[in-house]
RNA sequence: UGGGGCGUAGCCAAGUGGUAAGGCACGGGAAUUUGGAUCCCGCAUUCGAAGGUUCGAACCCUUCCGCCCCAGCCA
């Protein structure tokens, strides 16, 4: 997958693993996990984490589990579990049966909490959420001890048992760790371990009405699964002392090590679960698999390959610096992959009728065409050619600017895999002034493969035969957000990222014409529409009407020249 | 404001005391029946800043500056 010119440099996590292997920490075992909360769809930021965790395991002869961190039933749902499992598998990773749920450990976690209480390291606190916040203090001020922090072990045990039994309403009591209310790290000011939540859990049903908090549950989950390296994102750095505290308070051995790295940000798009959910729920996009959003489902529908995504993730690097990766790098990765894989076909997106006046009326020639010049095993196909063709509207210009190599009055151009033609005249719609049709003559010595084809001609155009072409709908996607840098996290108070959405991030082309070899193209198939880009058959496609998504355009040097001249 | 992190090119990112890798983007050129792909060439006298240590500093020390995260009974 990544052999060839690209060589990954050893990242800092691999360095830690190298060191641990050297000192035989964990007896040389390497065991990681990808621990999503099932409260949303996976996006390419998760893909970075998935590739990192599973990749590190693979590179080190280790293991990687898939684990759902389902400790908050009020936000989670099986819909998300199913989609996450599907996405991780689609990305190409295998947890080899080690699929776990935090909820599987609730009983053990409860028992550990009881031992914490017995050891005098946890207590039941009756403060309300508001009071708890006040007692916690601030960055400036130390917190104050809870009036309940010195309850007897017996009373704590009794209260905690009754919390579990459902005797108290939501929010009335919590179990707290007894650590240090004056710690400069707010996470250590007697953090909440368990809260009462009378919600039906998607897996345990109504068995529980108390649920462990992340800070308590996560280190235990890692411990139960014998995780050696617990990789998470930067915002958990402040939680590491608590992660370690839980494990140490219980006197556990062979402990996992939490290591934090920077999450992925991409330009021109949104990446937070909150924002993606908003786009979906408020109808700015058509669903979690809308090809404009960077969810795995969206990228997949758009036509991205898992290889390209993995490659991207492997190449962006792993570090602790907050960064925003240019989305054009992702585009580079998919073009690189599809350049080798995607068969070439001809498709005219915005058709302009072209008549070859000196070509016989009823003649049809089958033009031999290479399926993929980058792949000698891809073979050839025949494409029908006749007197009336369609070319791309933008491939003709009445009054061409300099450096324009395409068709213009009196000019010659090559039709890909066919003949060299000359534009003799064009017909204008009298009412609209729009150019309706162009008339050409062809050089019958210039057919591809013949000696006469060797003549140098500036431009080569793609085309379809009017009588043979298939109608198609093509969906062109643009970046979701206007400003390049608004892919970063939260904005100023009151600023709404919704305002940054491009009004025309989706353009639907209804009257496209594609070559007949595309008849019956299966959903998910990818092609290069020559000179236009890479396209993927959408699930909406039917035998009556083909529907394609543009995955990414080809690099367009002409377009760049035009833009450069504007500036 | 207390704590925790991070500053190397437009964007990622190596570099760990011996004189700034690589990729993307960008610019130029070659070749070309895709203005694609490919191939060449160019692109940081300097590493957030200033001092110091050293024969030698992006790397070590000091001070300063900037950015990110934390005051959920979310994860």
């Amino acid at each position: 997958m990544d052999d060839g010119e690209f060589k990954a440099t050893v990242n800092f996590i691999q360095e830690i693993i190298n060191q641990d292997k050297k000192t035989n920490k964990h007896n040389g075992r390497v065991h990681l996990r990808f621990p999503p909360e099932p409260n949303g769809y996976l996006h390419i930021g998760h893909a970075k984490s998935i590739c990192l965790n599973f990749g590190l395991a693979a590179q080190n002869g280790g293991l990687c589990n898939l684990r759902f961190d389902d400790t908050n039933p009020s936000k989670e749902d099986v819909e998300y579990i199913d989609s996450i499992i599907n996405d991780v598998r689609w990305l190409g990773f295998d947890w080899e049966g080690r699929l776990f749920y935090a909820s599987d450990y609730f009983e053990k976690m409860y028992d550990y909490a009881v031992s914490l209480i017995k050891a005098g390291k946890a207590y039941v606190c009756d403060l309300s959420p508001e009071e708890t916040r006040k007692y916690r203090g601030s960055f400036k001020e130390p917190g104050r001890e809870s009036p309940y922090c010195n309850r007897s072990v017996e009373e704590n045990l009794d209260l905690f048992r009754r919390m579990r039994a459902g005797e108290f309403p939501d929010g009335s009591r919590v179990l707290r760790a007894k650590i240090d209310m004056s710690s400069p790290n707010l996470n250590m000011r007697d953090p909440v371990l368990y809260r009462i939540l009378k919600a039906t859990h998607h897996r345990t049903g109504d068995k529980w009405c108390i649920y462990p908090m992340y800070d308590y549950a996560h280190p235990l989950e890692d411990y139960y699964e014998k995780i050696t390296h617990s990789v998470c994102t930067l915002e958990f750095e402040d939680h590491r002392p608590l992660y370690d505290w839980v494990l140490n308070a219980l006197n556990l051995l062979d402990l996992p090590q939490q290591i934090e790295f920077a999450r992925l940000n991409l330009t021109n798009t949104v990446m937070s679960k909150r924002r993606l959910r908003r786009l979906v729920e408020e109808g700015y996009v058509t669903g979690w698999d809308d090809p404009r959003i960077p969810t795995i489902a969206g990228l997949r529908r758009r036509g991205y390959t898992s290889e390209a995504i993995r490659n991207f993730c492997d190449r962006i690097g792993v570090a602790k610096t907050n960064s925003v990766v240019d989305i054009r790098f992702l585009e580079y990765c998919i073009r690189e992959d599809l350049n080798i894989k995607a068969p070439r076909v001809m498709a005219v997106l915005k058709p302009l009728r072209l008549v070859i006046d000196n070509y016989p009326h009823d003649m049809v020639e089958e033009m031999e065409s290479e399926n993929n010049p980058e792949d000698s095993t891809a073979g050839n196909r025949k494409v029908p050619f006749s007197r009336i063709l369609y070319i791309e509207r933008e491939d003709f210009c009445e009054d061409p600017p300099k450096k324009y190599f395409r068709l213009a009055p009196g000019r010659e151009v090559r039709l890909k895999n066919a003949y060299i033609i000359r534009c003799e005249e064009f017909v204008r719609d009298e009412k609209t002034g729009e150019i309706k049709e162009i008339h050409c003559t062809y050089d019958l010595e210039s057919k591809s493969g013949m000696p006469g084809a060797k003549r140098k001609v500036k431009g080569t155009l793609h085309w379809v035969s009017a009588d043979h072409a298939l109608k198609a709908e093509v969906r062109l996607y643009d970046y979701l957000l206007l400003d390049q840098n608004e892919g970063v996290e939260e904005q100023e108070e009151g600023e709404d990222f919704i305002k940054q959405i491009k009004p025309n991030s989706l353009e639907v082309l209804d009257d496209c014409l594609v070559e007949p070899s595309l008849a019956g193209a299966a959903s998910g198939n990818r092609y290069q529409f020559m000179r236009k880009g890479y396209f993927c058959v959408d699930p909406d496609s039917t035998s009556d009407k083909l529907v394609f998504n543009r995955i990414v355009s080809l690099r367009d040097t002409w377009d760049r020249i035009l833009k450069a001249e504007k500036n």
Side-chain angles (χ1 to χ4, degrees):
Chain A
M1 170 179 35
D2 61 4
D3 45 347
E5 72 284 352
F6 167 67
K7 284 201 189 73
T9 50
V10 173
N11 66 54
F12 76 99
I13 302 177
Q14 180 63 60
E15 273 174 12
I16 291 171
I17 292 173
N18 290 156
Q19 195 55 37
D20 290 346
K21 281 177 156 177
K22 204 176 287 174
T23 61
N24 207 35
K25 190 177 175 185
H26 311 294
N27 288 313
R29 294 169 42 241
V30 174
H31 203 332
L32 300 98
R33 99 268 96 113
F34 171 62
E37 183 190 13
N39 69 344
Y41 277 63
L42 257 29
H43 53 63
I44 192 163
H46 294 108
K48 177 181 180 184
S49 175
I50 292 166
C51 292
L52 215 210
N53 280 291
F54 281 92
L56 245 16
Q59 281 167 42
N60 292 284
L63 303 171
C64 184
N65 299 352
L66 175 59
R67 177 173 73 220
F68 287 101
D69 211 355
D70 55 349
T71 58
N72 185 354
S74 68
K75 293 188 173 175
E76 298 155 6
D77 195 278
V78 283
E79 177 198 356
Y80 300 122
I81 292 181
D82 296 341
S83 77
I84 290 169
I85 287 175
N86 184 45
D87 287 349
V88 176
R89 193 175 284 140
W90 179 77
L91 279 170
F93 297 101
D94 184 1
W95 48 90
E96 301 166 305
R98 292 182 309 280
L99 170 60
F100 303 120
Y101 295 83
S103 52
D104 291 342
Y105 312 131
F106 282 172
E107 197 67 52
K108 280 161 95 173
M109 289 174 178
Y110 178 85
D111 291 343
Y112 271 130
V114 168
S115 12
L116 239 29
I117 294 171
K118 286 180 179 164
K121 292 174 179 173
Y123 61 95
V124 172
C125 178
D126 300 358
L127 254 23
S128 71
E130 301 72 44
E131 290 169 323
T132 305
R133 179 163 27 85
K134 284 179 190 147
Y135 272 78
R136 188 158 32 228
S138 67
F139 293 148
K140 254 186 187 155
E141 323 241 326
R144 286 144 49 213
E145 285 199 333
S146 162
Y148 304 98
C149 77
N150 290 316
R151 291 217 251 228
S152 70
V153 168
E154 291 67 33
E155 188 183 4
N156 280 321
L157 251 17
D158 178 59
L159 255 14
F160 189 49
R161 182 186 54 75
R162 291 165 61 195
M163 277 170 64
R164 175 179 183 172
E167 290 186 25
F168 313 119
D170 285 11
S172 60
R173 285 182 229 261
V174 293
L175 183 73
R176 289 230 251 167
K178 193 170 181 176
I179 307 180
D180 177 9
M181 288 307 291
S182 64
S183 170
N185 181 345
L186 305 215
N187 293 123
M188 300 299 271
R189 320 243 260 227
D190 290 13
V192 173
L193 267 23
Y194 269 91
R195 78 285 215 183
I196 300 171
L197 210 57
K198 289 180 174 154
T200 301
H201 188 281
H202 47 100
R203 297 197 85 239
T204 59
D206 294 318
K207 184 177 179 196
W208 295 90
C209 62
I210 56 172
Y211 291 94
M213 299 287 290
Y214 170 88
D215 285 317
Y216 174 69
H218 210 88
L220 292 178
E221 293 159 20
D222 287 340
Y223 176 76
Y224 296 147
E225 294 176 19
K226 297 195 171 352
I227 298 304
T228 55
H229 304 269
S230 178
V231 177
C232 63
T233 42
L234 251 29
E235 68 271 25
F236 292 102
E237 232 158 357
D238 285 342
H239 295 243
R240 194 170 60 227
L242 181 49
Y243 180 99
D244 293 335
W245 182 91
V246 169
L247 265 9
N248 289 132
L250 263 1
N251 294 313
L252 303 175
L253 298 172
D254 194 17
L255 305 182
Q257 177 186 1
Q258 178 180 303
I259 303 166
E260 311 84 12
F261 74 101
R263 59 158 18 108
L264 170 66
N265 291 295
L266 265 187
T267 61
N268 298 282
T269 192
V270 296
M271 198 78 97
S272 74
K273 273 186 188 175
R274 204 193 99 244
R275 286 182 173 187
L276 287 168
R277 184 189 309 283
R278 187 156 169 224
L279 290 174
V280 172
E281 287 176 356
E282 294 179 17
Y284 292 101
V285 297
T286 57
W288 288 103
D289 68 344
D290 188 299
R292 288 169 292 183
I293 55 176
T295 51
I296 301 303
L299 291 165
R300 180 170 53 231
R301 183 161 182 179
R302 174 91 168 237
Y304 270 79
T305 60
S306 56
E307 289 87 343
I309 294 172
R310 273 186 264 130
N311 227 253
F312 170 77
C313 291
D314 288 343
R315 293 201 255 202
I316 51 178
V318 179
K320 300 192 70 158
T321 315
N322 283 314
S323 60
V324 184
V325 175
D326 193 328
I327 198 160
R328 290 178 299 180
F329 187 51
L330 214 211
E331 295 177 342
Y332 168 83
C333 290
I334 186 62
R335 284 192 187 107
E336 178 192 49
D337 190 33
L338 262 16
N339 180 43
I340 311 163
K341 295 177 180 168
R344 274 57 171 169
V345 294
M346 291 195 285
V348 175
L349 271 28
K350 295 177 180 170
L352 174 60
R353 193 174 146 99
L354 182 150
V355 181
I356 303 173
D357 291 320
N358 62 339
Y359 194 87
H361 279 266
D362 48 5
M363 188 158 96
V364 176
E365 288 183 86
E366 296 290 334
M367 298 304 189
E368 193 73 21
S369 307
E370 221 179 351
N371 286 329
N372 187 345
E374 303 295 325
D375 177 3
S376 55
T377 67
N380 289 166
R381 72 187 183 292
K382 300 206 189 300
V383 181
F385 181 90
S386 63
R387 179 179 154 93
I388 301 176
L389 308 172
Y390 282 95
I391 63 164
E392 210 67 64
R393 195 158 270 282
E394 65 181 12
D395 284 341
F396 173 79
C397 185
E398 180 186 351
D399 181 21
K402 51 183 186 300
K403 289 190 189 166
Y404 185 85
F405 305 156
R406 284 110 101 142
L407 208 54
R411 285 215 195 160
E412 275 194 327
V413 88
R414 185 190 305 276
L415 294 177
K416 178 76 181 173
N417 296 131
Y419 295 96
I420 293 170
I421 57 170
R422 173 191 305 277
C423 175
E424 307 295 353
E425 57 180 335
F426 57 94
V427 180
R428 200 187 286 282
D429 185 304
E430 284 170 18
K431 286 175 195 150
T432 64
E434 189 183 51
I435 291 163
K436 263 175 40 184
E437 180 174 284
I438 41 187
H439 287 264
C440 298
T441 51
Y442 80 119
D443 169 1
L444 64 172
E445 301 295 315
S446 68
K447 184 175 176 180
S448 290
M450 292 173 69
K454 294 224 163 73
R455 285 168 50 207
K456 294 285 175 211
V457 187
K458 273 271 178 78
T460 301
L461 309 187
H462 61 282
W463 49 273
V464 294
S465 164
D467 283 346
H468 307 270
L470 272 21
K471 296 198 90 176
E473 172 181 320
V474 172
R475 300 171 182 172
L476 304 180
Y477 301 99
D478 199 350
Y479 300 134
L480 226 210
L481 298 188
L482 243 18
D483 187 300
Q484 221 203 22
N485 292 315
E486 295 302 345
V488 215
E489 280 318 304
E490 303 307 312
Q491 299 184 2
E492 295 304 307
E493 212 65 46
E495 276 291 316
D496 191 350
F497 81 97
I498 295 294
K499 290 180 195 141
Q500 296 288 325
I501 295 178
K502 282 200 177 193
N504 47 359
S505 56
L506 167 62
E507 183 186 357
V508 179
L509 267 24
D510 239 335
D511 304 305
C512 308
L513 295 168
V514 303
E515 64 170 67
S517 72
L518 251 16
S523 171
N525 280 9
R526 303 178 183 90
Y527 302 91
Q528 185 196 96
F529 288 179
M530 266 188 288
R531 304 207 304 133
K532 292 272 98 180
Y534 294 98
F535 294 77
C536 177
V537 180
D538 190 82
D540 287 347
S541 200
T542 65
S543 49
D544 291 336
K545 188 168 197 187
L546 289 162
V547 179
F548 293 92
N549 296 314
R550 184 172 66 192
I551 306 167
V552 67
S553 67
L554 253 28
R555 263 177 92 228
D556 190 345
T557 313
W558 173 239
D559 190 54
R560 288 215 302 265
I561 291 170
L562 289 180
K563 279 179 182 150
E565 275 174 12
K566 271 183 195 168
N567 300 329

